[in-house]
């Protein structure tokens, strides 16, 4: 992937005034305009007063476009006739140059649920995997200027900068969603779903959540850095076999569980038989030859390893009949 250029974002150093102070000055222009109009109404030859009234009215209208209200964890990207002038991050009520295009962008943490997608794991099994992504804008310059936020349909219908600005959050989230999908596919293809068919120490999607999450966050940061976005957290929230192989894999898992259980049962049965023979020998309860020992071992293993309770048979004859 192409390396990211140096950070082009910087703080806005232009003039910004307190919004309440400029509002008071703006309101004072109203009586000034009215006074000029009143004087010109009685003296039609005072052309300069007409000019002053018109100028004051124009200044009043222009000043109305300079007020901005900025909440915490929001920023304004200042653009003056197409040139980037910096990013303003202070919260409050301000007045800026009305000819300055102050594009608003949120710096707050956002949450996104990436719906489960079908991906082939390392061994080729189709799996469904989804994640929850927590992200935020870190570089406002890249988020505004490096991502195409214009919506052609809205721009054609509205033809205003408002439609383009309104499309920006959708375009940014769409970019994050698409890149997250690509990163999730890339990471998933490097690991098997479970340990079946792999070495014992190999990381799997089911067992290696910590390692996989770290790798996923690195891949996401690598992909989203071009848009000035930082990944706060990424967590897998859904993992399952694809529907077309889910039934087969379930039977395989059941068979593996049965085999593991049988191994445990046999291991316990052998230890119990060994203990029984040793106790009989130590306590000198009965002397058994090798044939009787084999018969006893066989009977005990059948009783201990059987799925159903064994039906006892009482021998009323001798030991050998």
């Amino acid at each position: 992937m192409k390396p990211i250029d140096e950070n082009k974002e910087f703080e806005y150093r232009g003039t910004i005034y307190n919004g309440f102070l400029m509002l008071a000055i703006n309101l004072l222009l109203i009586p000034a305009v009215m006074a000029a109009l009143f004087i010109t109404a009685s003296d039609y030859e005072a052309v300069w007063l007409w000019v002053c009234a018109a100028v004051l009215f124009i200044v009043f209208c222009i000043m109305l476009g300079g007020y901005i209200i900025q909440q915490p964890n929001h920023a304004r990207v200042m653009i003056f006739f197409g040139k980037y002038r910096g990013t303003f991050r202070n919260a409050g009520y301000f007045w800026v140059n009305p000819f300055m295009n102050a594009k608003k962008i949120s710096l707050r943490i956002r949450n996104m649920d990436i719906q489960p997608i079908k991906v082939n794991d390392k061994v080729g099994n189709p799996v469904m995997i989804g994640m929850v992504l927590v992200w935020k804008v870190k570089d406002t310059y890249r988020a505004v200027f490096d991502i195409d936020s214009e919506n052609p349909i809205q721009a054609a219908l509205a033809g205003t900068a408002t439609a383009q600005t309104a499309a920006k959050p959708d375009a940014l989230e769409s970019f994050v969603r698409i890149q997250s999908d690509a990163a999730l596919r890339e990471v998933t293809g490097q690991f098997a779903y479970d340990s079946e068919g792999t070495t014992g120490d190999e990381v799997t999607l089911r067992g290696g959540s910590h390692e996989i999450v770290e790798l996923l966050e690195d891949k996401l940061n690598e992909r989203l850095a071009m848009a000035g976005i930082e990944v706060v957290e990424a967590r897998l929230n859904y993992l399952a076999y694809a529907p077309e192989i889910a039934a087969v894999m379930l039977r395989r898992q059941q068979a593996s569980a049965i085999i593991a259980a049988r191994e445990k049962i046999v291991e316990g049965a052998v230890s119990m038989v060994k203990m029984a023979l040793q106790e009989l020998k130590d306590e000198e309860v009965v002397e058994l030859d090798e044939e009787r020992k084999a018969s006893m071992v066989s009977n005990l293993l059948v009783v201990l390893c059987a799925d159903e309770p064994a039906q006892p048979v009482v021998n009323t004859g001798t030991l050998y009949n």
Side-chain angles (χ1 to χ4, degrees):
M1 184 173 292
K2 182 180 179 180
I4 303 300
D5 299 333
E6 61 180 1
N7 187 8
K8 298 180 181 179
E9 181 191 55
F10 57 86
E11 293 296 325
Y12 177 69
R13 303 183 184 89
T15 303
I16 292 184
Y17 298 98
N18 184 280
F20 296 102
L21 174 62
M22 296 304 296
L23 180 61
I25 295 175
N26 204 12
L27 293 176
L28 290 177
L29 291 178
I30 298 177
V33 172
M34 295 179 64
L37 293 176
F38 178 78
I39 295 174
T40 53
S42 59
D43 188 2
Y44 293 99
E45 296 181 356
V47 180
W48 63 274
L49 288 177
W50 284 98
V51 175
C52 289
V55 171
L56 290 176
F57 180 75
I58 294 174
V59 171
F60 172 81
C61 293
I62 293 176
M63 288 184 63
L64 291 178
Y67 297 98
I68 61 173
I69 299 176
Q70 185 152 285
Q71 300 178 3
N73 283 332
H74 278 80
R76 300 272 181 166
V77 177
M78 301 299 189
I79 305 172
F80 188 70
F81 291 103
K83 186 175 182 180
Y84 174 65
R85 293 295 187 180
T87 300
F88 181 67
R89 300 173 182 269
N90 295 343
Y93 185 47
F94 304 96
W95 185 90
V96 298
N97 186 346
F99 298 101
M100 187 78 68
N101 185 6
K103 290 190 175 183
K104 183 179 179 181
I105 185 168
S106 175
L107 304 179
R108 296 176 180 176
I109 295 176
R110 310 185 198 185
N111 193 44
M112 180 177 293
D113 184 14
I114 307 299
Q115 295 298 322
I117 58 176
K118 185 185 294 185
V119 187
N120 290 334
D121 65 358
K122 184 178 180 180
V123 296
N125 293 324
V127 299
M128 300 295 295
I129 186 169
M131 72 173 179
V132 173
L133 178 64
V134 183
W135 59 280
K136 66 179 181 178
V137 175
K138 183 179 181 181
D139 189 335
T140 58
Y141 181 92
R142 295 188 182 280
V144 172
F145 297 109
D146 290 356
I147 301 299
D148 187 6
S149 60
E150 294 186 0
N151 190 321
I153 299 178
Q154 288 186 353
L157 295 176
T160 61
T162 305
Q164 298 178 4
T165 305
K168 180 173 294 298
D170 295 337
L172 197 62
E173 291 183 4
S174 176
F175 178 84
V176 173
R177 191 176 298 277
I178 293 173
Q179 294 299 324
S180 300
D181 184 286
L184 188 59
R185 291 179 184 275
E186 181 180 356
V187 172
T188 304
Q190 300 179 21
F191 302 95
Y193 179 86
D194 53 24
S195 58
E196 291 291 335
T198 61
T199 59
D201 298 333
E202 188 172 347
V203 178
T204 62
L205 294 174
R206 290 185 59 187
S209 59
H210 181 70
E211 294 83 354
I212 294 174
V213 165
E214 286 187 349
L215 180 59
L216 184 60
E217 290 180 353
D218 292 339
K219 292 295 183 181
L220 286 169
N221 278 313
E222 181 182 350
R223 289 177 173 271
L224 297 179
M226 68 180 72
I229 296 172
E230 178 186 9
V231 176
V232 179
E233 185 182 26
R235 287 287 183 270
L236 299 180
N237 67 339
Y238 186 89
L239 180 62
Y241 281 113
E244 57 266 26
I245 67 167
V248 176
M249 292 302 177
L250 178 60
R251 289 196 295 268
R252 190 194 72 175
Q253 292 176 357
Q254 291 175 342
S256 299
I258 292 174
I259 292 173
R262 288 292 183 182
E263 290 178 353
K264 195 69 176 179
I265 291 173
V266 171
E267 180 182 353
V270 170
S271 63
M272 293 176 67
V273 170
K274 181 179 179 181
M275 180 182 66
L277 293 175
Q278 188 66 37
E279 289 291 331
L280 290 174
K281 180 180 179 181
D282 295 342
E283 298 294 334
E284 297 181 354
V285 176
V286 62
E287 281 291 333
L288 299 175
D289 57 16
E290 296 300 324
E291 183 180 355
R292 295 298 97 189
K293 286 182 181 181
S295 177
M296 181 179 178
V297 169
S298 176
N299 293 334
L300 286 176
L301 288 177
V302 170
V303 172
L304 294 174
C305 297
D307 290 332
E308 300 294 335
Q311 298 295 330
V313 177
V314 179
N315 186 5
T316 59
T318 62
L319 184 63
Y320 296 95
N321 293 310

